[in-house]
């Protein structure tokens, strides 16, 4: 099976399961350097995506699934993360276009578009201790994997692994964007919650792609 609309819907469902499972962990991470709502926000948003998929049925293309997710996350997540992930999925949808399935290069381009959307919206740079610190290495690893003839599932696995390393790298950083930046140097010594939810999203993509392969 290819990385088609069914895969994209499976990805969103696996993402929702991961948010539900990690709700408390994301709340705790956000309590350390924010306002303890990130787990609640992401769980609410992704479960709304699943409800919409259940109500409407699986859309025709991966791009349509990503668009449904974008609109739903934008309206349901709230906080800083809602518009950021909404923009990410909207740009990813545009990059995916009307293609019925995504090959390795298209997957890498979709991730790059998502990351670029987050940067356009939030203006964070790598090293600012945000989700950009997970997305940026993920995009680089995805491009490298696609250039080395990896499968779509391989591209997503490389992205998820690099995002996870990026997440670990946020721990010593001082936040320069978002709510955590109000803490200044006291934000150092904690993982960034948005980078943690990014890892969950990319791991869900990789896992469901592996199952689809
Ligand atoms: P809020 O900070 O409004 O409570 P959330 O708790 O849902 O929103 O999300 C916080 C996460 O959003 C942070 O951990 C960080 O990864 C991300 N974030 C915040 N501001 C930015 C930004 N300007 N650019 C990129 N990511 C950001
Ligand atoms: Mg918060």
């Amino acid at each position: 099976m290819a990385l088609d609309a069914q895969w994209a819907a499976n990805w969103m469902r696996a993402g929702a399961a991961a948010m539900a499972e990690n709700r408390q962990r994301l709340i705790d991470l956000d309590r350390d350097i924010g306002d303890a709502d990130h787990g609640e926000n992401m769980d609410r948003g992704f479960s709304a995506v699943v409800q919409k998929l259940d109500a409407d049925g699986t859309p025709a293309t991966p791009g349509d699934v990503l668009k449904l997710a974008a609109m739903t996350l934008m309206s349901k997540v709230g906080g800083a993360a809602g518009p950021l992930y909404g923009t990410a999925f909207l740009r990813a949808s545009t990059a995916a276009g009307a293609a019925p399935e995504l090959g390795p290069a298209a997957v890498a381009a979709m991730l790059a578009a998502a990351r670029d959307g987050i940067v356009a919206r939030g203006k964070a740079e790598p090293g600012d201790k945000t989700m950009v610190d997970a997305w940026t290495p993920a995009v680089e690893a995805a491009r490298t994997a696609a250039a080395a003839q990896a499968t779509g599932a391989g591209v997503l696995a490389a992205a998820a692994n690099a995002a996870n390393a990026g997440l670990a790298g946020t721990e010593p950083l001082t936040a320069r964007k978002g709510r955590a930046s109000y803490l200044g140097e006291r934000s150092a010594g904690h993982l960034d919650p948005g980078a943690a939810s990014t890892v969950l999203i990319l791991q869900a993509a990789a896992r469901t792609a592996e199952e689809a392969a």
Side-chain angles (χ1 to χ4, degrees), residues 8 12 45-46 49 52-53 59 63-75 77 82 85-86 89-90:
M12 294 304 119
F46 270 85
V49 172
K52 185 92 177 123
L53 287 171
D64 291 337
V65 173
L66 294 166
K67 186 166 183 192
L68 176 154
M71 296 309 178
T72 308
L73 294 174
M74 202 101 72
S75 72
V77 175
Y85 278 127
F89 279 96
L90 201 56

Side-chain angles (χ1 to χ4, degrees), residues 26 30 33-39 41-42 77-82 84-85 118-119 121-125 128-133 176-180 191-198:
L26 295 175
D30 195 30
I33 57 170
D35 58 354
D37 67 348
H38 191 60
N41 293 345
M42 296 303 289
V77 175
L84 290 166
Y85 278 127
I118 291 165
V119 170
R121 182 97 202 189
K123 309 275 186 283
E125 290 175 13
D128 284 350
K129 196 182 182 93
T130 70
M131 59 175 75
V132 170
D133 291 318
R176 285 193 293 251
K177 281 280 185 294
R179 205 178 282 281
L191 295 173
D192 177 64
S197 59
T198 294

Side-chain angles (χ1 to χ4, degrees), residues 178-206:
R179 205 178 282 281
S181 67
Y182 307 159
L183 290 179
E185 285 174 10
R186 278 182 295 138
S187 63
H190 302 279
L191 295 173
D192 177 64
S197 59
T198 294
V199 170
L200 295 175
I201 290 168
L202 295 177
Q203 284 175 339

